Every structure is written in C-alpha cells, then in structure tokens.
Amino acid sequence: QKEVEQDPGPLSVPEGAIVSLNCTYSNSAFQYFMWYRQYSRKGPELLMYTYSSGNKEDGRFTAQVDKSSKYISLFIRDSQPSDSATYLCAMSVVRSPGNQFYFGTGTSLTVIP
Amino acid sequence: DARVTQTPRHKVTEMGQEVTMRCQPILGHNTVFWYRQTMMQGLELLAYFRNRAPLDDSGMPKDRFSAEMPDATLATLKIQPSEPRDSAVYFCASGPPPGGQGWDQPQHFGDGTRLSIL
C-alpha cells in the first residue's frame, strides 16, 4: 500500500464550479500536509500547507485536514481556466536528522471556459 | 522573483553514458531536494540536503546515482552508468531554514531536467 493515495482523474469542470480534490494516507505520524499545483512542463509550486488538523483558507483555495480519517482535501471556489493543472498532495513527518516527505501521484484538472 | 535553476532542461543520451544534472537553489535556502517524476510513480524523493550535508538518500539507487553539494550555490545529481529505466523528469527543489517547528519545506521547484536514455 502506498503511503499517499490520490485519484489521478482526470477531472473536468465548467468555469465557476467548486472543485474538490482529495488524498488519503496511511501513516498517522504525518504532521504537515501540502498542496502543490503543477502546470504542464513546469515544476510543482507550493499552494498551501497546514500543520495537523483543521482548515486553512487562502483566497479561492481552502485546505482541510482530517487526521482521524487520514483524509485531506483542497477546495477551489469559482474555478478559472487558469486553474487547469495537475494538483499534488504531499505529506511530511519531522524526523531527525531529516524529515520524510511523500507525494501523491497528482490529479489532473481541466476548467472549461 | 527568485527561482531554482536547473540545467540542462533536456538531455538525450545513450545507455551507459554518464549524466550530470545541476541545480542552483534560491539564495539563502539551506535545504535542497532532488526528486524524480514518472507517470507511474509520481514524484519520488531521491536525496535531501540541509546546509550541504546529505540527510536522506535512501530513495536513490546507490550503485549508479550520486548527489553532492560542492557549495551552497550548486547541487549535482549524477547517474553513471545510465539505463533506459532512468528516463524521467528530475526536479530540484529548495527551501528556507525550517524555523521554530523544525520543518523543512520543499518550497520552490525548478522546471526540471527531462532525461531520455536510449
């Protein structure tokens, strides 16, 4: 079983829709939860990160973490064609000497004008 | 706007050849990560440095891969000898000092080196 599971999609929505992207994980030790956006032929860019459970909002983006269910979500409100990209979830546990990081395989999103 | 710079952007070479990929992290960032991305496996961590010291290279095939940071402005990833299964996009990422909670962030990624081994 992979440490992080993410539905690859593809997901296609009309402009203005609310998008929900999700990941599940198996390691209860994960402490930091991240979402990255990756445009075609580009590197991932960090969108948001949260520590432990709860919600975090940044503009049209909301990240949710439910540690009891080992489930994280990214919501995009009022989706725009420029949001079309692959979204990667990632998780981290702080260890010594170095932290451990795990990425989902990404969900491809297309927002249709 | 600060960026992580990777060279070359593309590399095509024959099996058995040595491949060297370079990364210039963002000035002031003290953590550097090397990742490999394929359709099947997604992003896999190969190596991770903090203050130029290797912290984790457990994801890297040791017999053919090596990662170094000769100085704070340059990280290298070498494959020798290369094999067709090494074909992938290799990303370098850097992150700022972790701050109070001790968490290193792979915050900024370069645009990758697309490697094809024939």
Side-chain angles (χ1 to χ4, degrees):
Chain A
Q1 184 187 6
K2 282 189 174 182
E3 297 273 359
V4 180
E5 298 279 357
Q6 184 174 11
D7 186 338
L11 190 59
S12 185
V13 301
E15 183 175 353
I18 295 175
V19 176
S20 172
L21 304 166
N22 311 295
C23 288
T24 59
Y25 62 95
S26 55
N27 188 346
S28 58
F30 286 137
Q31 297 161 291
Y32 289 90
F33 303 88
M34 296 151 274
W35 286 96
Y36 290 80
R37 178 175 61 197
Q38 186 175 20
Y39 291 115
S40 179
R41 298 191 170 267
K42 292 290 188 180
E45 57 177 314
L46 181 63
L47 273 179
M48 299 181 73
Y49 69 90
T50 54
Y51 175 69
S52 194
S53 282
N55 292 2
K56 186 173 183 178
E57 191 172 316
D58 184 1
R60 296 184 295 110
F61 298 89
T62 299
Q64 281 187 354
V65 175
D66 182 349
K67 292 190 80 175
S68 62
S69 302
K70 298 191 180 69
Y71 188 87
I72 71 170
S73 301
L74 178 71
F75 297 97
I76 307 173
R77 290 184 299 280
D78 187 24
S79 55
Q80 303 294 309
S82 58
D83 296 328
S84 299
T86 296
Y87 290 80
L88 303 160
C89 63
M91 304 175 190
S92 172
V93 56
V94 176
R95 293 240 190 273
S96 180
N99 305 333
Q100 292 179 342
F101 300 90
Y102 298 89
F103 279 79
T105 50
T107 299
S108 176
L109 170 68
T110 301
V111 180
I112 302 167
Chain B
D1 194 20
R3 298 171 60 86
V4 173
T5 303
Q6 288 187 249
T7 56
R9 290 296 313 278
H10 303 272
K11 176 75 175 178
V12 180
T13 192
E14 292 186 344
M15 182 174 67
Q17 296 298 306
E18 177 177 303
V19 174
T20 299
M21 291 170 273
R22 294 178 174 80
C23 169
Q24 181 176 10
I26 291 173
L27 191 64
H29 281 189
N30 72 332
T31 52
V32 172
F33 306 82
W34 281 105
Y35 287 91
R36 174 171 61 189
Q37 188 175 43
T38 60
M39 290 292 291
M40 292 300 296
Q41 299 295 326
L43 266 174
E44 300 172 281
L45 180 66
L46 296 174
Y48 161 25
F49 291 79
R50 187 192 297 149
N51 296 324
R52 297 175 55 201
L55 293 185
D56 185 356
D57 60 3
S58 58
M60 203 163 65
K62 303 287 192 310
D63 57 336
R64 299 184 300 108
F65 285 61
S66 62
E68 295 180 344
M69 279 202 75
D71 62 60
T73 65
L74 177 64
T76 62
L77 180 67
K78 289 186 182 179
I79 309 175
Q80 169 63 19
S82 57
E83 297 181 3
R85 59 182 167 145
D86 301 329
S87 298
V89 183
Y90 290 80
F91 287 105
C92 174
S94 71
Q101 290 180 315
W103 175 52
D104 292 325
Q105 300 180 38
Q107 194 173 75
H108 293 270
F109 280 75
D111 285 335
T113 294
R114 293 184 173 274
L115 179 63
S116 295
I117 308 296
L118 306 177

